[in-house]
């Protein structure tokens, strides 16, 4: 009994809200979308009548994944660096998203993302696949009318709301995933994210730098040292595992083990864990693409047989 789910992401909105809350969390969000997709697929629903007698909630199958972004949009980080949303497209596509460009339509920079998202949601009501659940990701509270329309069609609704919008959605949605739940559960569970969420509530100046470079208290960190530490930890796990490693949970374990330096150096300068492993140049570390929410796996050809359902035998190499 799986929930057939359609996911709609208001990217500019959600990414900007994450940057305001914790730039490091925003980096984790776009670096490895497969991590939070997998977390969402496994997350237990809040309705008691959805939980069978075994005590396990039905998992989600995120069949439709739509993301709406302004390809020319950008954001200036607290460090002064400007990041452009268009550069994130490849990461989203690799995670199975259909990316819809929503450039500005007015001199003020207003895009049509909200309108296009709502039209696609309503179109999905008539899809040949009857979606059991619709999930919206946005920090705006102006999607309440479409949530009410979905409820009238007897569809379950969930909202990932970063910031104050969570309260506005409580009555309109069946499930609301707030900032702290998403930071802790979906983005690796780093204590730094939780601390940043606390700082955001008390003072808007509590943001941190997202890109390469560590915090003042940690001192300078050499990205090459972080890279070697990550690869060493991956090789250690490969030696101990009888089967290939799923990149989503592996990324969580690496960030918990090695700490903030993983994200502060952007995976040793590689930009993402997937790209780091694909360019490692070690024959014991090979990546392959996979079906489902997770995205990819890593394995040692000398030890592991590729027998995972949904995987492609072709190595992704530098294309990851």
């Amino acid at each position: 009994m799986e929930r057939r789910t359609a996911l709609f992401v208001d990217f500019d909105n959600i990414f900007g809200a994450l940057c305001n809350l914790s730039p490091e969390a925003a980096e984790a969000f776009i670096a490895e979308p497969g991590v939070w997709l997998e977390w969402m697929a496994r997350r237990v629903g809040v309705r008691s009548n959805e939980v069978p007698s075994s005590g396990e909630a039905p998992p989600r199958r995120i069949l439709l994944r739509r993301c709406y972004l302004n390809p020319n949009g950008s954001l200036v980080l607290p460090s002064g660096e400007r990041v452009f949303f268009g550069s994130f497209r490849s990461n989203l596509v690799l995670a199975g998203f259909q990316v819809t460009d929503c450039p500005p339509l007015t001199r003020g920079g207003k895009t049509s993302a909200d309108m296009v998202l709502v039209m696609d949601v309503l179109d999905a009501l008539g899809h040949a696949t009857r979606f059991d659940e619709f999930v919206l990701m946005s920090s705006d509270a102006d999607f309440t009318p479409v949530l009410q329309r979905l409820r009238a069609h007897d569809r379950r609704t969930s909202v990932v709301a970063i910031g104050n919008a969570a309260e506005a959605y409580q009555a309109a949605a069946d499930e609301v995933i707030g900032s702290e739940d998403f930071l802790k559960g979906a983005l690796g569970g780093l204590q730094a994210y939780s601390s940043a969420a606390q700082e955001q509530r008390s003072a808007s100046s509590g943001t941190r730098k997202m890109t390469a470079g560590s915090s003042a208290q940690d001192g300078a960190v050499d990205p090459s040292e972080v890279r070697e530490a990550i690869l060493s930890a991956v090789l250690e796990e490969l030696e101990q595992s009888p089967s290939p490693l799923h990149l989503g949970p592996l990324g969580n374990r690496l960030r918990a083990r090695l700490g903030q330096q993983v994200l502060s150096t952007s995976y040793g300068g590689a930009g993402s864990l997937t790209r780091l492993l694909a360019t490692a140049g070690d024959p014991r570390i090979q990546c392959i693409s996979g079906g489902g929410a997770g995205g990819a796996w890593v394995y040692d050809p000398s030890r592991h047989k590729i027998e995972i359902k949904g995987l492609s035998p072709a190595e992704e190499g530098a294309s990851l």
Side-chain angles (χ1 to χ4, degrees):
M1 295 293 294
E2 295 178 311
R3 279 180 284 172
R4 292 166 293 187
T5 299
L7 171 64
F8 300 85
V9 180
D10 184 359
F11 181 84
D12 297 23
N13 191 284
I14 202 78
F15 185 76
L18 282 170
C19 278
N20 290 334
L21 192 64
S22 168
E24 294 90 346
E27 165 69 9
F29 173 79
I30 193 57
E32 298 288 344
V35 173
W36 52 265
L37 279 171
E38 181 186 13
W39 177 82
M40 291 182 63
R42 296 182 305 179
R43 179 179 168 82
V44 175
V46 296
R47 281 181 172 177
S48 59
N49 61 3
E50 289 185 340
V51 182
S53 58
S54 63
E56 297 180 356
R60 291 182 172 101
R61 290 184 64 203
I62 306 178
L63 301 176
L64 184 65
R65 305 173 188 180
R66 296 276 178 85
C67 182
Y68 307 83
L69 62 77
N70 174 8
N72 302 317
S74 64
L75 190 68
V76 178
L77 303 177
S79 64
E81 180 180 359
R82 181 177 294 275
V83 292
F84 291 89
F85 301 156
S87 65
F88 302 142
R89 177 188 297 276
S90 60
N91 287 11
L92 294 164
V93 171
L94 286 172
F97 277 98
Q98 294 175 271
V99 180
T100 300
D101 286 343
C102 299
L105 299 177
T106 68
R107 292 182 179 179
K110 178 65 176 175
T111 74
S112 61
D114 291 2
M115 182 66 70
V116 176
L117 187 155
V118 169
M119 289 192 297
D120 283 353
V121 166
L122 297 179
D123 285 346
L125 280 172
H127 197 280
T129 298
R130 188 186 190 281
F131 297 109
D132 304 309
E133 178 186 43
F134 288 73
V135 179
L136 306 183
M137 295 185 67
S138 177
S139 65
D140 279 345
D142 53 1
F143 288 112
T144 298
V146 75
L147 293 173
Q148 294 170 337
R149 177 67 63 87
L150 291 169
R151 174 176 290 174
H153 283 266
D154 193 24
R155 308 299 175 91
R156 192 180 191 281
T157 56
S158 296
V159 178
V160 178
I162 306 300
N164 297 327
E167 295 182 5
Y169 282 131
Q170 290 293 340
D174 294 305
E175 178 184 15
V176 177
I177 301 173
S179 303
E180 290 198 35
D181 282 347
F182 191 71
L183 296 183
K184 291 179 180 179
L187 301 182
L190 293 180
Q191 183 62 34
Y193 297 162
S194 178
S195 299
Q198 295 289 342
E199 292 171 4
Q200 176 67 14
R201 286 193 296 268
S202 61
S204 59
S205 61
T207 55
R208 301 191 184 102
K209 185 178 179 182
M210 181 184 77
T211 54
S214 61
S215 60
Q217 61 267 31
D218 291 336
V221 177
D222 185 349
S224 64
E225 293 181 0
V226 176
R227 176 187 175 91
E228 292 304 316
I230 294 174
L231 293 176
S232 177
V234 171
L235 285 171
E236 181 180 327
E237 289 213 20
L238 286 172
E239 291 175 358
Q240 298 175 356
S241 175
S243 60
L245 301 173
H246 199 183
L247 253 64
L250 175 61
N252 290 345
R253 294 193 298 271
L254 289 173
R255 290 191 288 271
R257 176 176 175 176
L258 300 177
Q260 184 62 25
Q261 61 183 354
V262 173
L263 294 180
S264 68
T265 63
S266 192
Y267 292 90
S272 71
L273 176 59
T274 307
R275 192 169 293 111
L276 171 58
L277 298 181
T279 59
D282 191 319
R284 296 168 295 175
I285 300 177
Q286 300 295 327
C287 292
I288 51 178
S289 62
W297 301 70
V298 60
Y299 72 104
D300 181 347
S302 65
R303 300 188 66 253
H304 301 138
K305 294 182 179 179
I306 308 304
E307 298 178 349
I308 301 175
K309 184 179 180 181
L311 292 181
S312 167
E315 297 176 7
E316 292 193 344
S319 66
L320 291 173

